[in-house]
Amino acid sequence: MEPALRETVTQREQSMVLNDVNMLYHIYATVPPKTQRLMLELQRDNHVEYLLRGLQHLGPSFCSLDANRPWICYWILHSIALLGESVDATLEDKTIDFLSCCQDPDGGYGGGPGQMPHLATTYAAVNALISLGGDRSLTSINRDKMYMFLKRMKDPSGAFRMHDAGEIDVRACYTAVSVARILNILDDELVHNIGNYILSCQTYEGGISGEPGSEAHGGYTFCGLAAMILINEADRLDLPALIDWVVFRQGVEGGFQGRTNKLVDGCYSFWQGGIFALLQRFHSIIGERPTLVDAGGADCSIDSIQTTAESDLSEDEESSDGTSSQDDEACHFQHGGSQEASCSVNDKSAEMGPLYHSIALQRYILICSQDPGGGLKDKPRKPKDYYHTCYCLSGLSVCQHSWLKDEDSSPLPRAVLGPYSNVLEPIHPVFNIVLDRYQEAHEFFTRS
């Protein structure tokens, strides 16, 4: 007699998550239309209140995040900007002063005043200051010292170290190149051999790992692809394999997992979902490696990569209850949302269309990740936090704006799940900065 198969911990956890998500979707499907509309409404005021509280005061439980304070500033400020809001002048000045105290005299930003500079917190601090905007915020960044810091972090292999004598990984490459590019200090010396290192991290699955020989991961795949775009070497990646890996990370819940056979997590709404906003600029020809182009075949330098893309969405009117006409689709779908795919990467005649189920992802964010009292979270049963609030909202923005033909146009009602008031500000997907703040910084650092 064969022994019974024992359920693994991962299988038990997956079953629990599926039960929680199914319960929420069942509640949504059976409540009156008025309650459905409320469940799909982005609770803007509550989110802003939650975010502003965090920017002004954090409790003792945050002591373990002492080395991540620039990150907390970025998560909160970017989320506020996504919601179309801003902080008052006093709070803005206090934030700039605090981040200035985190800036090392020799360049880069530490996790707090007096802490050693680190590429991750440098990226967070720069993005936070750009999210604030304004001359005082942007001039507080010492670009000359920053360049020297980035040079010190450059490893002879071509990759970057996170800090002095620290680890080398794809995350370090992305944060270094992102900061250098947006500050207009990127040069050939900083770019040298980065592409070779990132290529060595693309795995047999198609995704990108943190370092050679490790497992493909959603966060590292975003970082690797974004870094390759920033240095204009994205065409060196095996993009069909990368696309295939990312597409199948969207699960039956509607959200994304970060790795194969892992649980859904709201933060991957951006780390995985944002990859599609980058990939939208690629198309494939049989027998040739995909190349970076825009919809009309024009040059696609980083400055032209906004959130624009071709869309197959029609100008449908909103339904009478203020929700998308796709709202009555089943909550489950085959192959991680591939039913929205409009072409294959091997389709010679077609350009790449949407490759994930954006409506299902929005449903997961709004119903399963949103705390009605303010803040967003990983999944049901998990607590809200600023990290997941930032990346859930970033993923929601990507869903709404990714397929627009014109960056100055508004999303079509059919692209937005729930009331049209759910629409967030568009982001520049390479940097994850609200688009108008990116444009302000780009102009400022180009002329200065």
Side-chain angles (χ1 to χ4, degrees):
M1 182 175 178
E2 294 185 3
L5 294 176
R6 301 182 68 178
E7 189 178 44
T8 67
V9 172
T10 300
Q11 287 173 324
R12 288 198 299 272
E13 290 178 344
Q14 176 65 22
S15 296
M16 184 173 68
V17 171
L18 285 174
N19 288 336
D20 291 342
V21 171
N22 279 333
M23 180 186 68
L24 289 171
Y25 287 163
H26 177 73
I27 292 172
Y28 170 78
T30 55
V31 297
K34 185 176 180 180
T35 305
Q36 287 184 335
R37 290 195 294 272
L38 184 62
M39 291 180 72
L40 291 178
E41 183 179 349
L42 186 66
Q43 303 299 315
R44 287 176 173 273
D45 292 343
N46 293 341
H47 296 322
V48 171
E49 183 180 346
Y50 166 70
L51 293 162
L52 288 175
R53 284 201 308 269
L55 198 59
Q56 297 175 77
H57 176 75
L58 297 174
S61 63
F62 284 88
C63 287
S64 61
L65 295 176
D66 179 65
N68 291 279
R69 282 184 279 174
W71 276 113
I72 297 173
C73 290
Y74 167 59
W75 297 332
I76 292 176
L77 291 169
H78 178 55
S79 297
I80 290 172
L82 278 165
L83 291 161
E85 301 292 337
S86 58
V87 300
D88 62 43
T90 300
L91 192 52
E92 179 178 323
D93 286 341
K94 287 182 178 179
T95 305
I96 295 170
D97 290 341
F98 167 73
L99 292 172
S100 295
C101 290
C102 297
Q103 188 167 205
D104 191 86
D106 293 323
Y109 290 80
Q115 297 183 24
M116 74 160 58
H118 191 286
L119 275 175
T121 48
T122 295
Y123 166 87
V126 169
N127 276 17
L129 291 164
I130 290 172
S131 295
L132 280 175
D135 285 359
R136 182 168 186 264
S137 179
L138 300 179
T139 55
S140 70
I141 304 170
N142 189 326
R143 290 197 298 161
D144 292 336
K145 295 292 186 179
M146 180 70 75
Y147 179 76
M148 298 307 296
F149 167 66
L150 295 178
K151 281 186 64 176
R152 292 198 306 275
M153 296 305 103
K154 182 76 172 176
D155 187 76
S157 67
F160 284 84
R161 294 187 179 275
M162 292 302 298
H163 57 87
D164 186 30
E167 68 273 26
I168 298 172
D169 58 28
V170 168
R171 175 187 49 153
C173 295
Y174 166 68
T175 51
V177 175
S178 175
V179 166
R181 191 59 187 263
I182 205 163
L183 297 182
N184 196 28
I185 56 175
L186 188 65
D187 62 10
D188 291 342
E189 187 173 356
L190 293 177
V191 168
H192 180 68
N193 259 352
I194 293 176
N196 290 338
Y197 179 79
I198 294 174
L199 281 178
S200 72
C201 296
Q202 186 167 23
T203 76
Y204 72 95
E205 290 186 279
I208 297 173
S209 62
E211 55 189 22
S214 295
E215 182 182 10
H217 183 282
Y220 289 118
T221 300
F222 174 89
C223 288
L225 177 60
M228 293 294 268
I229 289 174
L230 285 164
I231 63 174
N232 297 316
E233 295 185 24
D235 59 318
R236 298 180 64 195
L237 291 166
D238 185 347
L239 289 170
L242 189 151
I243 291 168
D244 188 62
W245 181 81
V246 179
V247 164
F248 284 92
R249 300 287 69 75
Q250 188 172 22
V252 295
E253 305 92 343
F256 281 93
Q257 60 181 188
R259 291 176 286 161
T260 304
N261 294 327
K262 295 297 182 180
L263 302 179
V264 65
D265 185 333
C267 72
Y268 292 109
S269 301
F270 176 75
W271 294 123
Q272 301 281 32
I275 290 171
F276 293 100
L278 306 179
L279 289 174
Q280 193 66 22
R281 292 290 180 157
F282 290 80
H283 73 100
S284 185
I285 300 174
I286 294 176
E288 294 184 16
R289 187 175 295 275
T291 54
L292 185 62
V293 297
D294 69 23
D299 172 63
C300 192
S301 64
I302 186 62
D303 295 332
S304 71
I305 298 177
Q306 312 295 356
T307 53
T308 60
E310 290 298 321
S311 171
D312 61 356
L313 297 174
S314 62
E315 296 279 358
D316 289 356
E317 295 294 327
E318 272 189 293
S319 60
S320 58
D321 67 352
T323 62
S324 164
S325 60
Q326 299 182 28
D327 194 29
D328 57 356
E329 294 177 1
C331 292
H332 300 298
F333 45 92
Q334 296 179 344
H335 305 309
S338 62
Q339 61 181 216
E340 268 200 8
S342 64
C343 74
S344 163
V345 295
N346 292 319
D347 184 344
K348 184 174 182 179
S349 61
E351 291 180 354
M352 188 198 309
L355 293 177
Y356 73 111
H357 202 307
S358 63
I359 293 297
L361 180 55
Q362 290 179 68
R363 182 185 293 114
Y364 178 80
I365 294 170
L366 292 168
I367 295 179
C368 302
S369 289
Q370 180 173 218
D371 186 323
L376 292 99
K377 54 192 176 182
D378 168 349
K379 58 177 69 67
R381 299 187 192 230
K382 293 286 188 176
K384 63 190 178 184
D385 59 65
Y386 300 113
Y387 169 83
H388 285 91
T389 299
C390 170
Y391 291 108
C392 284
L393 290 177
S394 297
L396 191 60
S397 174
V398 167
C399 287
Q400 296 167 349
H401 294 275
S402 283
W403 318 126
L404 293 178
K405 296 179 181 180
D406 183 352
E407 70 187 45
D408 295 322
S409 62
S410 299
L412 299 174
R414 193 178 168 206
V416 180
L417 182 64
Y420 200 73
S421 60
N422 282 359
V423 174
L424 297 169
E425 295 297 311
I427 63 169
H428 192 303
V430 175
F431 303 101
N432 196 19
I433 295 172
V434 167
L435 192 55
D436 64 355
R437 307 295 168 86
Y438 161 77
Q439 291 168 340
E440 178 191 13
H442 175 70
E443 292 172 6
F444 182 89
F445 293 120
T446 297
R447 67 174 184 263
S448 61

